[in-house]
Amino acid sequence: MSTVADKQTMDFQAEARQLLDLMIHSLYSNKEIFLRELVSNASDACDTLRFEALGKPDLYGDDPDFRIRITFDPEKHTITVSDNGIGMSKEDAVAHLGTIAKSGTQEFLKSLTGDQAKDVRLIGQFGVGFYSSFIVADKVTVVSRKAADSADQGVVWKSDGKGTYSVESVTRPTRGTDVTLHLKKDEKEFLDPYRLRHIIHTYADHIAFPVEMQFEEKDKKDEWETVNRASALWQRPKSEIKDEEYKEFYKHVAHDFEEPLAWLHNRVEGKQSYTTLLYIPGRAPFDLWDRDHPHGLKLYVKRVFIMDDAKHLMPAYLRFVRGLVDSDDLPLNVSRELLQQNKLINSIRSASVKRILNALAKMADKEPEKYATVWTQFGKVIKEGPGEDTVNRDRILKLLRFSSTNSDEQTVSLADYLARMKKDQKYIYYLTSDSLNAAKNSSYLGLFRGKDIEVLLLYDRVDEWMMSHIEEYQDKKFKSIAKGELDLDDLIDEDEQKAREKLASQHTGLVERIKTALNGKIKDVRVSHRLTDAPSCVVLEDHDMSMHLQRMFKSAGHEVPLGKPVLEINIEHPLVLRMEEETDEDRFVDWSQLLLDQAILSEGGELDDPADYVKRLNSLLVDLSDAGSGGRIIVD
Ligand code: ADP
Ligand code: MG
């Protein structure tokens, strides 16, 4: 290899450097994983070339058989992982080895805590990849040439992992990549072929390409021994695959550092034949919230890798599922466009979705603790399901877990709720709010707490949207307790009903006065049946957008037509009773406005004019204290 004198030295992207430091420190106890990452990259590179060569067989040149080779040199203290895959151009090397092209890297780094054990887990979730080389090496040299390029378009990339790297053109007769690690002084174990063979068994048995090593003396240097199984794991019969192999394969396909929670391996024969190997990860990847995030299922056709991120294979609400689909029937030249309305793909997809949903339901039933992890990690994503997948809505509803007035934890299933419903209860009651705390302390709950009627408490961003897509569960309709007039038939008995009506009829004058005082600011004033402790609350009509959702839209910068609320007053509250005695009309307006503002505040809302609220409140307080100290006395 001869270099051209065009060496450039560049700085690592700031994020890359930070990540690198962290990785070296936090992953030291797992240091042999570098080999898994390098072999995994080599395998990806072979996959990519095989795919590109489908339309351009010339790319193979005279080297059609993929292989990954591991060599070491005890004298130079180096270990090299070589592949004859797609290779990298100089631009590729700069783009892929000097920067981290993952969206959300910044946020990821901000989430680091400085607590080693936690950060290790976070780093795993981010995906360690190529940089793990620097755990054991103080210098890394990558020599590569892209398959389509000519011999003089090779590149040498070098770095000590300390902040800069260099790239330089080089002549390289063959395509593919050699990654050479100059091992740190103490890392002798990786210079032992038997130790290496053992690591490869652990980490690379499932890799579909042969990983080769040499064990003989120098005169036989051309003989390579394949040290892994080198067959596509998902094509082997289930009974022959060990759990450990499934787990290792997961780490490779999912670019994850941790073990999966569960997997489903199925072979389908019939009208069409295909294999699916689907994994449920143990932890949400850092970019799960990005609906366009890159990882999804991999698509293979007849064992040939076709593409990552085959979005059409899983709906967005199951985007946390990892693994692959290998079809025997799709054409090898299938394009993303073709996938879109492909009948074969659609049927694979709907079968896979059902498999996942059934597996989750079974897990929820048989292994509730495991399912609790699924819910904590992916519940917010699954909640997109009822809106996105109407066909499977009932299946998805069964998977939902809620907090409720019975449980702070999100563990209540709709079946649990139904089982606890009161005898004549007609609805599944729920409340959406900004947080669990706000929901728990909501004044809307007064009546329900008093009657010991369970209310589901929803406070995730997606909840409001989800609820707009759910009408009923097993013939019971959902009803927001913050909306509409409560249909109390099922909640209170006749005597109580009568007493309430009587009370309301005694205060119609007050209701009218408040309505006049708040003219234009509210839709109506009513005597409330849902309040016990609070003096007032605001209520929307059944089909209004909830105030919580209105706020979310507003904070996202959308103009929302604000529906005017109904003000409900608690006729038994001393403050409200006190108002009946107010003769000064200006003061009465202040009181009324106070009731409205307090209702908005305690619902979690914002006042249009907070300063005005404070002014009114203070002047009322001054009045009251004057009255108390013998100043102004209000006489009936
Ligand atoms: P990931 O594999 O998750 O993409 P890595 O850090 O392992 O992340 O690798 C970064 C990128 O560097 C790869 O996506 C690929 O573009 C490039 N790369 C790494 N190793 C090789 C290789 N052996 N051949 C070709 N490209 C490679
Ligand atoms: Mg990788």
Side-chain angles (χ1 to χ4, degrees):
M1 119 179 157
S2 65
T3 53
V4 189
D6 67 345
K7 182 166 171 174
Q8 291 168 274
T9 302
M10 307 189 192
D11 289 333
F12 276 116
Q13 185 197 19
E15 287 94 36
R17 200 160 60 218
Q18 210 177 332
L19 202 62
L20 232 146
D21 279 347
L22 181 73
M23 188 154 338
I24 295 166
H25 291 114
S26 55
L27 293 182
Y28 191 74
S29 54
N30 266 309
K31 55 189 172 182
E32 77 270 11
I33 57 142
F34 78 89
L35 206 53
R36 170 180 90 204
E37 296 301 327
L38 295 182
V39 171
S40 180
N41 284 349
S43 163
D44 288 346
C46 295
D47 265 341
T48 307
L49 175 55
R50 189 159 62 178
F51 173 67
E52 300 217 335
L54 288 173
K56 280 184 257 165
D58 286 358
L59 288 179
Y60 284 125
D62 55 3
D63 187 10
D65 298 317
F66 290 109
R67 82 254 159 344
I68 297 161
R69 284 180 175 167
I70 297 179
T71 50
F72 60 93
D73 184 332
E75 272 138 47
K76 293 195 184 129
H77 225 252
T78 60
I79 168 169
T80 300
V81 177
S82 308
D83 66 70
N84 55 351
I86 186 74
M88 282 178 277
S89 65
K90 198 197 270 182
E91 293 71 34
D92 290 342
V94 170
H96 298 142
L97 305 180
T99 56
I100 300 171
K102 296 178 186 173
S103 65
T105 305
Q106 277 277 297
E107 291 85 272
F108 166 74
L109 287 167
K110 278 193 213 121
S111 71
L112 297 175
T113 56
D115 170 342
Q116 192 121 331
K118 270 200 202 130
D119 288 351
V120 169
R121 268 183 269 129
L122 283 168
I123 261 260
Q125 170 192 8
F126 185 84
V128 285
F130 171 77
Y131 291 137
S132 60
S133 311
F134 289 102
I135 305 172
V136 294
D138 44 27
K139 199 171 114 195
V140 176
T141 308
V142 179
V143 183
S144 190
R145 196 194 105 195
K146 210 164 183 164
D149 288 349
S150 56
D152 57 355
Q153 287 175 291
V155 59
V156 192
W157 180 101
K158 279 186 201 163
S159 177
D160 59 3
K162 297 236 164 60
T164 62
Y165 64 93
S166 67
V167 279
E168 191 172 1
S169 300
V170 68
T171 320
R172 180 180 156 101
T174 54
R175 70 163 192 259
T177 305
D178 299 339
V179 179
T180 299
L181 310 194
H182 301 262
L183 296 169
K184 291 177 185 166
K185 241 205 235 107
D186 301 338
E187 309 298 349
K188 292 204 175 52
E189 62 178 292
F190 302 112
L191 299 172
D192 168 0
Y194 297 96
R195 168 83 177 121
L196 285 175
R197 187 210 289 258
H198 178 76
I199 300 176
I200 290 161
H201 265 309
T202 316
Y203 290 134
D205 245 0
H206 61 263
I207 295 283
F209 303 100
V211 177
E212 302 175 344
M213 284 182 65
Q214 287 179 319
F215 294 89
E216 294 300 326
E217 289 309 308
K218 282 205 170 60
D219 50 325
K220 289 198 176 165
K221 268 283 175 196
D222 253 359
E223 287 187 17
W224 292 88
E225 189 182 320
T226 301
V227 289
N228 66 336
R229 270 175 171 271
S231 69
L233 173 114
W234 63 95
Q235 292 297 332
R236 288 162 47 197
K238 273 196 219 183
S239 55
E240 283 177 18
I241 307 174
K242 289 197 230 76
D243 284 2
E244 284 314 313
E245 293 179 277
Y246 276 121
K247 289 178 188 171
E248 272 311 317
F249 185 67
Y250 164 77
K251 292 177 185 173
H252 169 60
V253 283
H255 297 250
D256 195 354
F257 184 72
E258 290 183 42
E259 296 192 348
L261 263 191
W263 55 86
L264 310 168
H265 185 187
N266 290 89
R267 169 87 196 147
V268 175
E269 315 260 2
K271 254 193 284 168
Q272 64 162 331
S273 309
Y274 63 90
T275 302
T276 53
L277 177 50
L278 308 175
Y279 287 96
I280 297 166
R283 181 181 297 276
F286 74 99
D287 53 357
L288 184 66
W289 301 111
D290 187 355
R291 272 175 70 96
D292 302 319
H293 85 127
H295 297 290
L297 293 188
K298 286 177 192 272
L299 177 65
Y300 285 73
V301 174
K302 300 179 194 74
R303 257 77 55 222
V304 177
F305 170 75
I306 305 294
M307 67 181 82
D308 258 321
D309 179 25
K311 281 199 184 123
H312 307 294
L313 294 171
M314 267 296 143
Y317 75 97
L318 294 177
R319 63 184 175 275
F320 56 89
V321 174
R322 296 286 177 270
L324 60 86
V325 170
D326 187 351
S327 161
D328 289 350
D329 308 300
L330 284 167
L332 277 162
N333 62 358
V334 64
S335 63
R336 278 186 201 277
E337 294 69 48
L338 208 108
L339 285 184
Q340 248 167 41
Q341 340 77 349
N342 186 288
K343 275 207 186 107
L344 296 177
I345 287 289
N346 286 347
S347 91
I348 294 177
R349 168 182 155 128
S350 62
S352 303
V353 167
K354 288 216 167 68
R355 263 193 202 107
I356 292 283
L357 295 178
N358 288 341
L360 289 175
K362 198 167 147 200
M363 189 195 285
D365 189 31
K366 299 266 186 311
E367 300 171 284
E369 274 167 34
K370 213 182 217 186
Y371 186 69
T373 307
V374 171
W375 188 255
T376 320
Q377 295 296 321
F378 308 116
K380 294 198 188 80
V381 181
I382 295 174
K383 283 176 174 181
E384 296 170 13
E388 191 183 347
D389 186 351
T390 43
V391 175
N392 289 302
R393 188 172 291 160
D394 280 343
R395 278 198 177 81
I396 302 165
L397 289 187
K398 291 201 173 81
L399 296 175
L400 301 179
R401 293 294 179 270
F402 300 89
S403 298
S404 84
T405 42
N406 273 32
S407 156
D408 281 3
E409 307 289 322
Q410 287 191 16
T411 52
V412 179
S413 70
L414 291 173
D416 296 338
Y417 185 95
L418 256 48
R420 289 197 285 257
M421 273 171 83
K422 296 280 177 244
K423 203 166 121 274
D424 295 320
Q425 190 179 334
K426 279 199 225 142
Y427 298 105
I428 300 174
Y429 290 105
Y430 72 93
L431 174 66
T432 51
S433 193
D434 298 324
S435 68
L436 175 61
N437 228 5
K440 269 167 55 181
N441 296 317
S442 166
S443 43
Y444 299 114
L445 286 174
L447 173 76
F448 294 87
R449 284 212 196 272
K451 303 265 166 215
D452 193 29
I453 293 169
E454 185 168 11
V455 176
L456 301 177
L457 305 177
L458 290 91
Y459 46 88
D460 284 333
R461 283 179 74 89
V462 52
D463 285 337
E464 192 76 47
W465 185 80
M466 173 179 74
M467 293 314 292
S468 72
H469 289 92
I470 309 180
E471 289 255 307
E472 53 179 40
Y473 176 72
Q474 301 199 344
D475 296 333
K476 295 282 181 201
K477 289 209 171 359
F478 287 89
K479 180 148 180 62
S480 162
I481 63 163
K483 284 184 182 177
E485 284 202 68
L486 286 179
D487 172 2
L488 294 172
D489 289 358
D490 55 337
L491 302 181
I492 57 178
D493 59 31
E494 228 170 282
D495 291 347
E496 209 175 337
Q497 180 81 11
K498 281 207 180 107
R500 279 171 185 272
E501 277 164 17
K502 190 169 163 217
L503 197 64
S505 68
Q506 286 164 351
H507 299 278
T508 44
L510 179 64
V511 167
E512 283 308 316
R513 273 180 83 192
I514 298 177
K515 212 190 286 186
T516 316
L518 293 176
N519 184 25
K521 294 182 179 159
I522 46 162
K523 202 178 270 171
D524 200 1
V525 179
R526 283 200 293 256
V527 172
S528 184
H529 298 305
R530 58 193 109 206
L531 298 173
T532 48
D533 300 335
S536 62
C537 68
V538 279
V539 177
L540 291 164
E541 299 302 338
D542 275 326
H543 293 290
D544 278 349
M545 187 191 274
S546 82
M547 295 201 239
H548 160 68
L549 191 61
Q550 290 183 14
R551 282 195 291 281
M552 271 167 45
F553 271 103
K554 226 170 149 184
S555 73
H558 297 287
E559 280 292 328
V560 271
L562 295 175
K564 278 186 203 154
V566 171
L567 180 70
E568 288 195 358
I569 54 170
N570 178 358
I571 209 68
E572 285 163 290
H573 195 280
L575 197 65
V576 177
L577 292 173
R578 162 79 184 63
M579 282 175 68
E580 285 205 308
E581 297 160 11
E582 182 61 71
T583 48
D584 180 337
E585 273 316 308
D586 287 343
R587 270 291 169 251
F588 189 84
V589 171
D590 286 342
W591 283 114
S592 305
Q593 185 66 46
L594 192 74
L595 278 190
L596 176 61
D597 288 351
Q598 284 193 347
I600 293 172
L601 285 175
S602 60
E603 184 272 334
E606 279 172 25
L607 300 178
D608 287 339
D609 190 350
D612 177 66
Y613 167 75
V614 172
K615 220 166 81 191
R616 276 180 213 272
L617 181 63
N618 286 344
S619 94
L620 288 169
L621 287 175
V622 168
D623 264 10
L624 289 178
S625 59
D626 282 353
S629 65
R632 182 173 163 221
I633 298 169
I634 298 163
V635 192
D636 289 326

